[in-house]
Amino acid sequence: MMRKFFNVRGTSDFKPSETLFFQEINQQSRNICKKFGYEEISLPILEERELFSKGVGEVTDIVERQMFKIEGKDIVLRPEGTAQVIRYYLQNSLYKQNDFYKFFYLGPMFRGERPQKGRLRQFHHIGVEAIGSDSIYIDAEIICLCFEILDKIGVTEKELKINTLGCASDKEKFSVTLKQALIDRKDELCQDCEKRLEKNPLRVIDCKNKQCQKVVNSLNLEMDHLCPDCKNRFNDLMSLLKDMNIDYTYSPHLVRGLDYYTNTVFEITSNKLGSQDAIGAGGRYNNLMKSLGGPEIPATGFALGLERILLILSDIQRAKKLDCFVAVMDKENAKLGFSILRDIRNAGFSADFDYKNKSLKGQLRVAQKKGAKFVVILGEEEYKNNSLVLKNMENSTQEIIKYNELIEELKIRMKS
Ligand code: HAM
């Protein structure tokens, strides 16, 4: 018997409505990134493994467990874009040409995680990286940009969680204090965290094990490790966010699972998702450049996870709205209907038609399913009077208009 094939676990097939929506999100994000002065780059899917072990950190889940390695080679499918953008920046010595760059990228990322709702092995990022400035205004800008993208695509309910890890020496101090606090409670931690405690204590904080989380939650992690400068900078950033009317929650337990972060870290979550509730995340990574063999240059950025965004937007929001559906009451009017359809498309509107000889009721159902804003109905009476019915599907009102005025009338209505 012939076997049946399925998509690989942890990957998703986008059906047509999702593909359209996916493209629309990409386009809207592109426009907003450009408006903020970011330039698009497209980098390969294959990178050297060491780029991520040095960049993201050897003792991180991504590097320890999740990298897809090409057999027999020291090459992996990229698990994230930040280390890669910095590789590109250093490879081309861009710092010698300009002291500040703003990049964005769109594309697939790969992590060999155990698949579950919102956790995939192939997923897509919209990522933004601003390289060359340590200003809190650029931290504020990327958060503002991230919110503008999410607002534009209809993610209305979201929470911004923000924290600071402090500069490299604050972070080191934090790591030592954390280790001291956890060492007495080693027995309560999972086996992985016992090892993490030795090699990279910060990673204990984002362990998903319930018992480890209980231990971590009982610790007071507030700003004690911060030097005055980092503390002031963080307070200034929070006050900037207030000025921009961006609500946030100060979350001292937020450390992020990638080692390159220093100072600001943030995550945007949605309560419409389950345990994988982060739709985007980012922060400052002032030491990454140096870990990859480059000069000391500060940078900050974020990435949004597109599949999680697709999950939280309802079908109605996701349905690509069709501008117009042309319905005919009698088969005899089909030819005229088909010609009106072409006129509407030629005027630049999206339009569709009934190719299945459905009743008017059936055609209206199809129009609704396709998310049509307007339906043009060609009836017997109207046909005689060179007119047609224009039905507004959003408020269910309808009016009779002349054929030759249809396009102008549509233009007026589409603008309002
Ligand atoms: P990240 O938190 O690993 O950060 O990923 C960013 C977003 O990608 C997450 O918030 C989530 O929405 C989505 N995501 C991550 N893993 C998966 C998965 N397995 N399945 C589905 N979606 C996922 C980074 O990658 C950093 N490079 C972000 C950054 C840019 N930081 C500074 N610049």
Side-chain angles (χ1 to χ4, degrees), residues 80-82 105 111 113 118-120 123 125 128-129 256 258 260-261 278-283 285 301-305 308:
E80 63 102 49
T82 309
Y105 49 92
R111 294 183 193 173
E113 304 204 58
R119 189 161 72 189
L120 294 160
F123 56 96
H125 269 174
V128 157
E129 316 291 351
R256 310 271 299 119
L258 302 94
Y260 49 60
Y261 291 109
I279 48 178
Y285 49 95
F302 71 84
L304 290 171
R308 291 195 189 164

PDB file of all heavy atoms in Angstrom, residues 80-82 105 111 113 118-120 123 125 128-129 256 258 260-261 278-283 285 301-305 308, ligand 1:
ATOM      1  N   GLU A  80      18.420  31.726  15.272  1.00  0.00           N
ATOM      2  CA  GLU A  80      18.005  33.112  15.545  1.00  0.00           C
ATOM      3  C   GLU A  80      18.833  34.050  14.666  1.00  0.00           C
ATOM      4  O   GLU A  80      19.812  33.621  14.030  1.00  0.00           O
ATOM      5  CB  GLU A  80      18.177  33.435  17.032  1.00  0.00           C
ATOM      6  CG  GLU A  80      19.595  33.369  17.545  1.00  0.00           C
ATOM      7  CD  GLU A  80      20.221  34.736  17.712  1.00  0.00           C
ATOM      8  OE1 GLU A  80      19.591  35.599  18.309  1.00  0.00           O
ATOM      9  OE2 GLU A  80      21.360  34.934  17.235  1.00  0.00           O
ATOM     10  N   GLY A  81      18.477  35.332  14.646  1.00  0.00           N
ATOM     11  CA  GLY A  81      19.098  36.228  13.683  1.00  0.00           C
ATOM     12  C   GLY A  81      20.128  37.198  14.235  1.00  0.00           C
ATOM     13  O   GLY A  81      20.912  37.764  13.471  1.00  0.00           O
ATOM     14  N   THR A  82      20.150  37.410  15.552  1.00  0.00           N
ATOM     15  CA  THR A  82      21.004  38.475  16.094  1.00  0.00           C
ATOM     16  C   THR A  82      22.495  38.185  15.881  1.00  0.00           C
ATOM     17  O   THR A  82      23.220  39.026  15.338  1.00  0.00           O
ATOM     18  CB  THR A  82      20.692  38.684  17.594  1.00  0.00           C
ATOM     19  OG1 THR A  82      19.283  38.840  17.709  1.00  0.00           O
ATOM     20  CG2 THR A  82      21.389  39.895  18.151  1.00  0.00           C
ATOM     21  N   TYR A 105      15.097  42.212   9.375  1.00  0.00           N
ATOM     22  CA  TYR A 105      15.108  41.001   8.545  1.00  0.00           C
ATOM     23  C   TYR A 105      13.849  40.199   8.804  1.00  0.00           C
ATOM     24  O   TYR A 105      13.241  40.292   9.885  1.00  0.00           O
ATOM     25  CB  TYR A 105      16.346  40.134   8.851  1.00  0.00           C
ATOM     26  CG  TYR A 105      16.551  39.884  10.333  1.00  0.00           C
ATOM     27  CD1 TYR A 105      16.013  38.753  10.972  1.00  0.00           C
ATOM     28  CD2 TYR A 105      17.266  40.796  11.114  1.00  0.00           C
ATOM     29  CE1 TYR A 105      16.189  38.552  12.327  1.00  0.00           C
ATOM     30  CE2 TYR A 105      17.441  40.592  12.480  1.00  0.00           C
ATOM     31  CZ  TYR A 105      16.899  39.477  13.069  1.00  0.00           C
ATOM     32  OH  TYR A 105      17.058  39.284  14.422  1.00  0.00           O
ATOM     33  N   ARG A 111      14.682  25.560  15.397  1.00  0.00           N
ATOM     34  CA  ARG A 111      15.134  25.091  16.706  1.00  0.00           C
ATOM     35  C   ARG A 111      14.517  23.720  16.961  1.00  0.00           C
ATOM     36  O   ARG A 111      13.295  23.568  16.826  1.00  0.00           O
ATOM     37  CB  ARG A 111      14.686  26.053  17.830  1.00  0.00           C
ATOM     38  CG  ARG A 111      15.340  27.410  17.725  1.00  0.00           C
ATOM     39  CD  ARG A 111      14.950  28.340  18.876  1.00  0.00           C
ATOM     40  NE  ARG A 111      15.358  29.700  18.543  1.00  0.00           N
ATOM     41  CZ  ARG A 111      15.060  30.778  19.250  1.00  0.00           C
ATOM     42  NH1 ARG A 111      14.356  30.649  20.366  1.00  0.00           N
ATOM     43  NH2 ARG A 111      15.454  31.978  18.883  1.00  0.00           N
ATOM     44  N   GLU A 113      13.113  22.031  19.120  1.00  0.00           N
ATOM     45  CA  GLU A 113      12.418  21.973  20.403  1.00  0.00           C
ATOM     46  C   GLU A 113      11.369  20.866  20.358  1.00  0.00           C
ATOM     47  O   GLU A 113      10.973  20.417  19.287  1.00  0.00           O
ATOM     48  CB  GLU A 113      11.713  23.304  20.672  1.00  0.00           C
ATOM     49  CG  GLU A 113      12.640  24.484  20.629  1.00  0.00           C
ATOM     50  CD  GLU A 113      12.116  25.653  21.439  1.00  0.00           C
ATOM     51  OE1 GLU A 113      11.884  25.473  22.646  1.00  0.00           O
ATOM     52  OE2 GLU A 113      11.957  26.736  20.867  1.00  0.00           O
ATOM     53  N   GLY A 118       2.355  26.655  19.668  1.00  0.00           N
ATOM     54  CA  GLY A 118       3.197  27.863  19.708  1.00  0.00           C
ATOM     55  C   GLY A 118       4.687  27.580  19.787  1.00  0.00           C
ATOM     56  O   GLY A 118       5.486  28.503  19.831  1.00  0.00           O
ATOM     57  N   ARG A 119       5.053  26.302  19.839  1.00  0.00           N
ATOM     58  CA  ARG A 119       6.487  25.989  19.866  1.00  0.00           C
ATOM     59  C   ARG A 119       6.810  25.081  18.692  1.00  0.00           C
ATOM     60  O   ARG A 119       6.405  23.918  18.667  1.00  0.00           O
ATOM     61  CB  ARG A 119       6.861  25.323  21.185  1.00  0.00           C
ATOM     62  CG  ARG A 119       8.374  25.188  21.330  1.00  0.00           C
ATOM     63  CD  ARG A 119       8.794  24.969  22.746  1.00  0.00           C
ATOM     64  NE  ARG A 119       8.429  23.630  23.175  1.00  0.00           N
ATOM     65  CZ  ARG A 119       8.502  23.186  24.425  1.00  0.00           C
ATOM     66  NH1 ARG A 119       8.885  23.993  25.379  1.00  0.00           N
ATOM     67  NH2 ARG A 119       8.180  21.963  24.726  1.00  0.00           N
ATOM     68  N   LEU A 120       7.515  25.632  17.722  1.00  0.00           N
ATOM     69  CA  LEU A 120       7.742  24.920  16.469  1.00  0.00           C
ATOM     70  C   LEU A 120       9.222  24.670  16.245  1.00  0.00           C
ATOM     71  O   LEU A 120      10.070  25.258  16.915  1.00  0.00           O
ATOM     72  CB  LEU A 120       7.199  25.767  15.312  1.00  0.00           C
ATOM     73  CG  LEU A 120       5.687  25.966  15.311  1.00  0.00           C
ATOM     74  CD1 LEU A 120       5.306  27.157  14.476  1.00  0.00           C
ATOM     75  CD2 LEU A 120       4.993  24.717  14.775  1.00  0.00           C
ATOM     76  N   PHE A 123      10.033  28.268  12.442  1.00  0.00           N
ATOM     77  CA  PHE A 123       9.128  29.391  12.671  1.00  0.00           C
ATOM     78  C   PHE A 123       9.759  30.636  12.052  1.00  0.00           C
ATOM     79  O   PHE A 123      10.884  30.576  11.560  1.00  0.00           O
ATOM     80  CB  PHE A 123       8.871  29.575  14.178  1.00  0.00           C
ATOM     81  CG  PHE A 123      10.126  29.767  14.980  1.00  0.00           C
ATOM     82  CD1 PHE A 123      10.578  31.038  15.301  1.00  0.00           C
ATOM     83  CD2 PHE A 123      10.883  28.678  15.396  1.00  0.00           C
ATOM     84  CE1 PHE A 123      11.750  31.224  16.022  1.00  0.00           C
ATOM     85  CE2 PHE A 123      12.067  28.856  16.103  1.00  0.00           C
ATOM     86  CZ  PHE A 123      12.503  30.127  16.413  1.00  0.00           C
ATOM     87  N   HIS A 125      10.770  34.836  12.065  1.00  0.00           N
ATOM     88  CA  HIS A 125      11.042  36.055  12.835  1.00  0.00           C
ATOM     89  C   HIS A 125      10.906  37.294  11.962  1.00  0.00           C
ATOM     90  O   HIS A 125      11.297  37.285  10.798  1.00  0.00           O
ATOM     91  CB  HIS A 125      12.495  36.051  13.336  1.00  0.00           C
ATOM     92  CG  HIS A 125      12.666  35.443  14.690  1.00  0.00           C
ATOM     93  ND1 HIS A 125      13.890  35.239  15.270  1.00  0.00           N
ATOM     94  CD2 HIS A 125      11.754  35.038  15.615  1.00  0.00           C
ATOM     95  CE1 HIS A 125      13.730  34.708  16.472  1.00  0.00           C
ATOM     96  NE2 HIS A 125      12.453  34.558  16.703  1.00  0.00           N
ATOM     97  N   VAL A 128      14.745  43.034  14.358  1.00  0.00           N
ATOM     98  CA  VAL A 128      15.253  44.393  14.207  1.00  0.00           C
ATOM     99  C   VAL A 128      16.524  44.522  15.035  1.00  0.00           C
ATOM    100  O   VAL A 128      16.554  44.061  16.176  1.00  0.00           O
ATOM    101  CB  VAL A 128      14.158  45.374  14.720  1.00  0.00           C
ATOM    102  CG1 VAL A 128      14.754  46.705  15.133  1.00  0.00           C
ATOM    103  CG2 VAL A 128      13.077  45.578  13.675  1.00  0.00           C
ATOM    104  N   GLU A 129      17.589  45.077  14.464  1.00  0.00           N
ATOM    105  CA  GLU A 129      18.830  45.263  15.226  1.00  0.00           C
ATOM    106  C   GLU A 129      19.358  46.672  14.963  1.00  0.00           C
ATOM    107  O   GLU A 129      19.536  47.056  13.805  1.00  0.00           O
ATOM    108  CB  GLU A 129      19.908  44.234  14.820  1.00  0.00           C
ATOM    109  CG  GLU A 129      19.449  42.782  14.654  1.00  0.00           C
ATOM    110  CD  GLU A 129      19.040  42.079  15.947  1.00  0.00           C
ATOM    111  OE1 GLU A 129      19.253  42.631  17.044  1.00  0.00           O
ATOM    112  OE2 GLU A 129      18.469  40.970  15.850  1.00  0.00           O
ATOM    113  N   ARG A 256      15.843  36.261  30.090  1.00  0.00           N
ATOM    114  CA  ARG A 256      15.974  35.806  28.701  1.00  0.00           C
ATOM    115  C   ARG A 256      16.953  34.638  28.574  1.00  0.00           C
ATOM    116  O   ARG A 256      17.960  34.584  29.251  1.00  0.00           O
ATOM    117  CB  ARG A 256      16.393  36.940  27.753  1.00  0.00           C
ATOM    118  CG  ARG A 256      15.569  38.196  27.860  1.00  0.00           C
ATOM    119  CD  ARG A 256      14.378  38.182  26.961  1.00  0.00           C
ATOM    120  NE  ARG A 256      14.764  38.080  25.575  1.00  0.00           N
ATOM    121  CZ  ARG A 256      14.405  37.076  24.789  1.00  0.00           C
ATOM    122  NH1 ARG A 256      13.665  36.094  25.231  1.00  0.00           N
ATOM    123  NH2 ARG A 256      14.789  37.058  23.534  1.00  0.00           N
ATOM    124  N   LEU A 258      19.024  33.718  26.273  1.00  0.00           N
ATOM    125  CA  LEU A 258      20.208  33.831  25.417  1.00  0.00           C
ATOM    126  C   LEU A 258      21.242  34.642  26.192  1.00  0.00           C
ATOM    127  O   LEU A 258      20.917  35.662  26.801  1.00  0.00           O
ATOM    128  CB  LEU A 258      19.865  34.539  24.087  1.00  0.00           C
ATOM    129  CG  LEU A 258      18.750  33.857  23.254  1.00  0.00           C
ATOM    130  CD1 LEU A 258      17.392  34.458  23.561  1.00  0.00           C
ATOM    131  CD2 LEU A 258      19.025  34.000  21.769  1.00  0.00           C
ATOM    132  N   TYR A 260      23.665  36.625  25.413  1.00  0.00           N
ATOM    133  CA  TYR A 260      24.304  37.874  24.983  1.00  0.00           C
ATOM    134  C   TYR A 260      23.726  39.148  25.589  1.00  0.00           C
ATOM    135  O   TYR A 260      24.283  40.226  25.411  1.00  0.00           O
ATOM    136  CB  TYR A 260      24.367  37.994  23.458  1.00  0.00           C
ATOM    137  CG  TYR A 260      23.102  37.736  22.651  1.00  0.00           C
ATOM    138  CD1 TYR A 260      21.951  38.482  22.831  1.00  0.00           C
ATOM    139  CD2 TYR A 260      23.103  36.756  21.658  1.00  0.00           C
ATOM    140  CE1 TYR A 260      20.822  38.265  22.047  1.00  0.00           C
ATOM    141  CE2 TYR A 260      21.988  36.524  20.868  1.00  0.00           C
ATOM    142  CZ  TYR A 260      20.848  37.289  21.067  1.00  0.00           C
ATOM    143  OH  TYR A 260      19.754  37.069  20.292  1.00  0.00           O
ATOM    144  N   TYR A 261      22.620  39.044  26.314  1.00  0.00           N
ATOM    145  CA  TYR A 261      21.993  40.278  26.789  1.00  0.00           C
ATOM    146  C   TYR A 261      22.734  40.958  27.939  1.00  0.00           C
ATOM    147  O   TYR A 261      23.279  40.297  28.826  1.00  0.00           O
ATOM    148  CB  TYR A 261      20.550  40.007  27.220  1.00  0.00           C
ATOM    149  CG  TYR A 261      19.649  39.669  26.064  1.00  0.00           C
ATOM    150  CD1 TYR A 261      19.173  38.375  25.889  1.00  0.00           C
ATOM    151  CD2 TYR A 261      19.293  40.626  25.129  1.00  0.00           C
ATOM    152  CE1 TYR A 261      18.356  38.053  24.812  1.00  0.00           C
ATOM    153  CE2 TYR A 261      18.482  40.311  24.048  1.00  0.00           C
ATOM    154  CZ  TYR A 261      18.020  39.035  23.895  1.00  0.00           C
ATOM    155  OH  TYR A 261      17.216  38.721  22.833  1.00  0.00           O
ATOM    156  N   ALA A 278       5.095  34.183  24.807  1.00  0.00           N
ATOM    157  CA  ALA A 278       5.858  35.335  24.298  1.00  0.00           C
ATOM    158  C   ALA A 278       5.676  35.474  22.794  1.00  0.00           C
ATOM    159  O   ALA A 278       5.937  34.535  22.041  1.00  0.00           O
ATOM    160  CB  ALA A 278       7.334  35.173  24.618  1.00  0.00           C
ATOM    161  N   ILE A 279       5.182  36.628  22.361  1.00  0.00           N
ATOM    162  CA  ILE A 279       5.041  36.832  20.911  1.00  0.00           C
ATOM    163  C   ILE A 279       6.251  37.566  20.351  1.00  0.00           C
ATOM    164  O   ILE A 279       6.453  37.634  19.147  1.00  0.00           O
ATOM    165  CB  ILE A 279       3.737  37.588  20.545  1.00  0.00           C
ATOM    166  CG1 ILE A 279       3.553  38.824  21.422  1.00  0.00           C
ATOM    167  CG2 ILE A 279       2.553  36.670  20.659  1.00  0.00           C
ATOM    168  CD1 ILE A 279       2.320  39.621  21.054  1.00  0.00           C
ATOM    169  N   GLY A 280       7.046  38.114  21.231  1.00  0.00           N
ATOM    170  CA  GLY A 280       8.255  38.799  20.780  1.00  0.00           C
ATOM    171  C   GLY A 280       9.129  39.112  21.979  1.00  0.00           C
ATOM    172  O   GLY A 280       8.643  39.131  23.114  1.00  0.00           O
ATOM    173  N   ALA A 281      10.409  39.321  21.697  1.00  0.00           N
ATOM    174  CA  ALA A 281      11.317  39.583  22.808  1.00  0.00           C
ATOM    175  C   ALA A 281      12.600  40.192  22.275  1.00  0.00           C
ATOM    176  O   ALA A 281      12.911  40.081  21.094  1.00  0.00           O
ATOM    177  CB  ALA A 281      11.624  38.277  23.534  1.00  0.00           C
ATOM    178  N   GLY A 282      13.331  40.807  23.174  1.00  0.00           N
ATOM    179  CA  GLY A 282      14.600  41.384  22.744  1.00  0.00           C
ATOM    180  C   GLY A 282      15.314  42.072  23.879  1.00  0.00           C
ATOM    181  O   GLY A 282      15.034  41.818  25.052  1.00  0.00           O
ATOM    182  N   GLY A 283      16.226  42.939  23.504  1.00  0.00           N
ATOM    183  CA  GLY A 283      16.981  43.672  24.506  1.00  0.00           C
ATOM    184  C   GLY A 283      18.320  44.118  23.976  1.00  0.00           C
ATOM    185  O   GLY A 283      18.632  43.967  22.784  1.00  0.00           O
ATOM    186  N   TYR A 285      22.427  44.146  23.767  1.00  0.00           N
ATOM    187  CA  TYR A 285      23.486  43.120  23.800  1.00  0.00           C
ATOM    188  C   TYR A 285      24.833  43.788  23.510  1.00  0.00           C
ATOM    189  O   TYR A 285      25.428  43.611  22.458  1.00  0.00           O
ATOM    190  CB  TYR A 285      23.170  41.963  22.822  1.00  0.00           C
ATOM    191  CG  TYR A 285      22.776  42.378  21.431  1.00  0.00           C
ATOM    192  CD1 TYR A 285      23.716  42.449  20.403  1.00  0.00           C
ATOM    193  CD2 TYR A 285      21.466  42.713  21.116  1.00  0.00           C
ATOM    194  CE1 TYR A 285      23.362  42.843  19.127  1.00  0.00           C
ATOM    195  CE2 TYR A 285      21.103  43.112  19.844  1.00  0.00           C
ATOM    196  CZ  TYR A 285      22.057  43.174  18.852  1.00  0.00           C
ATOM    197  OH  TYR A 285      21.708  43.563  17.586  1.00  0.00           O
ATOM    198  N   GLY A 301      18.006  45.181  20.062  1.00  0.00           N
ATOM    199  CA  GLY A 301      17.075  44.692  19.034  1.00  0.00           C
ATOM    200  C   GLY A 301      15.976  43.834  19.619  1.00  0.00           C
ATOM    201  O   GLY A 301      15.878  43.650  20.840  1.00  0.00           O
ATOM    202  N   PHE A 302      15.136  43.318  18.726  1.00  0.00           N
ATOM    203  CA  PHE A 302      14.072  42.393  19.163  1.00  0.00           C
ATOM    204  C   PHE A 302      13.677  41.511  17.982  1.00  0.00           C
ATOM    205  O   PHE A 302      14.050  41.796  16.831  1.00  0.00           O
ATOM    206  CB  PHE A 302      12.837  43.155  19.679  1.00  0.00           C
ATOM    207  CG  PHE A 302      12.045  43.850  18.596  1.00  0.00           C
ATOM    208  CD1 PHE A 302      11.091  43.164  17.846  1.00  0.00           C
ATOM    209  CD2 PHE A 302      12.274  45.183  18.292  1.00  0.00           C
ATOM    210  CE1 PHE A 302      10.372  43.800  16.833  1.00  0.00           C
ATOM    211  CE2 PHE A 302      11.565  45.830  17.286  1.00  0.00           C
ATOM    212  CZ  PHE A 302      10.618  45.134  16.554  1.00  0.00           C
ATOM    213  N   ALA A 303      12.939  40.450  18.282  1.00  0.00           N
ATOM    214  CA  ALA A 303      12.342  39.648  17.204  1.00  0.00           C
ATOM    215  C   ALA A 303      10.934  39.266  17.604  1.00  0.00           C
ATOM    216  O   ALA A 303      10.664  38.953  18.771  1.00  0.00           O
ATOM    217  CB  ALA A 303      13.184  38.406  16.932  1.00  0.00           C
ATOM    218  N   LEU A 304      10.034  39.303  16.614  1.00  0.00           N
ATOM    219  CA  LEU A 304       8.657  38.864  16.825  1.00  0.00           C
ATOM    220  C   LEU A 304       8.482  37.479  16.219  1.00  0.00           C
ATOM    221  O   LEU A 304       9.033  37.206  15.149  1.00  0.00           O
ATOM    222  CB  LEU A 304       7.685  39.814  16.119  1.00  0.00           C
ATOM    223  CG  LEU A 304       7.524  41.210  16.700  1.00  0.00           C
ATOM    224  CD1 LEU A 304       6.701  42.079  15.750  1.00  0.00           C
ATOM    225  CD2 LEU A 304       6.825  41.142  18.054  1.00  0.00           C
ATOM    226  N   GLY A 305       7.742  36.612  16.878  1.00  0.00           N
ATOM    227  CA  GLY A 305       7.483  35.261  16.364  1.00  0.00           C
ATOM    228  C   GLY A 305       6.171  35.251  15.596  1.00  0.00           C
ATOM    229  O   GLY A 305       5.092  35.385  16.185  1.00  0.00           O
ATOM    230  N   ARG A 308       3.232  32.595  16.353  1.00  0.00           N
ATOM    231  CA  ARG A 308       2.467  32.854  17.587  1.00  0.00           C
ATOM    232  C   ARG A 308       1.472  33.988  17.360  1.00  0.00           C
ATOM    233  O   ARG A 308       0.375  33.972  17.903  1.00  0.00           O
ATOM    234  CB  ARG A 308       3.411  33.183  18.743  1.00  0.00           C
ATOM    235  CG  ARG A 308       4.203  31.959  19.134  1.00  0.00           C
ATOM    236  CD  ARG A 308       4.886  32.090  20.461  1.00  0.00           C
ATOM    237  NE  ARG A 308       5.775  30.949  20.616  1.00  0.00           N
ATOM    238  CZ  ARG A 308       6.743  30.875  21.507  1.00  0.00           C
ATOM    239  NH1 ARG A 308       6.928  31.872  22.356  1.00  0.00           N
ATOM    240  NH2 ARG A 308       7.504  29.802  21.579  1.00  0.00           N
TER     241      ARG A 308
HETATM  242  P1  HAM B   1      13.774  34.687  21.168  1.00  0.00           P
HETATM  243  O1  HAM B   1      13.052  35.079  22.421  1.00  0.00           O
HETATM  244  O2  HAM B   1      14.487  33.421  21.202  1.00  0.00           O
HETATM  245  O3  HAM B   1      14.728  35.894  20.809  1.00  0.00           O
HETATM  246  O4  HAM B   1      12.734  34.656  19.968  1.00  0.00           O
HETATM  247  C1  HAM B   1      11.883  35.755  19.691  1.00  0.00           C
HETATM  248  C2  HAM B   1      10.448  35.284  19.496  1.00  0.00           C
HETATM  249  O5  HAM B   1      10.414  34.214  18.535  1.00  0.00           O
HETATM  250  C3  HAM B   1       9.786  34.678  20.741  1.00  0.00           C
HETATM  251  O6  HAM B   1       9.289  35.677  21.582  1.00  0.00           O
HETATM  252  C4  HAM B   1       8.698  33.835  20.125  1.00  0.00           C
HETATM  253  O7  HAM B   1       7.582  34.635  19.783  1.00  0.00           O
HETATM  254  C5  HAM B   1       9.337  33.336  18.822  1.00  0.00           C
HETATM  255  N1  HAM B   1       9.846  31.957  18.997  1.00  0.00           N
HETATM  256  C6  HAM B   1      10.974  31.575  19.609  1.00  0.00           C
HETATM  257  N2  HAM B   1      11.104  30.229  19.573  1.00  0.00           N
HETATM  258  C7  HAM B   1      10.026  29.761  18.921  1.00  0.00           C
HETATM  259  C8  HAM B   1       9.566  28.436  18.545  1.00  0.00           C
HETATM  260  N3  HAM B   1      10.267  27.338  18.828  1.00  0.00           N
HETATM  261  N4  HAM B   1       8.388  28.337  17.884  1.00  0.00           N
HETATM  262  C9  HAM B   1       7.675  29.438  17.570  1.00  0.00           C
HETATM  263  N5  HAM B   1       8.059  30.698  17.883  1.00  0.00           N
HETATM  264  C10 HAM B   1       9.212  30.861  18.549  1.00  0.00           C
HETATM  265  C11 HAM B   1      15.617  35.880  19.757  1.00  0.00           C
HETATM  266  O8  HAM B   1      15.676  35.022  18.928  1.00  0.00           O
HETATM  267  C12 HAM B   1      16.489  37.099  19.710  1.00  0.00           C
HETATM  268  N6  HAM B   1      17.335  36.974  18.524  1.00  0.00           N
HETATM  269  C13 HAM B   1      15.669  38.367  19.676  1.00  0.00           C
HETATM  270  C14 HAM B   1      16.542  39.590  19.624  1.00  0.00           C
HETATM  271  C15 HAM B   1      16.832  40.329  18.531  1.00  0.00           C
HETATM  272  N7  HAM B   1      17.197  40.104  20.642  1.00  0.00           N
HETATM  273  C16 HAM B   1      17.895  41.155  20.237  1.00  0.00           C
HETATM  274  N8  HAM B   1      17.687  41.286  18.943  1.00  0.00           N
END
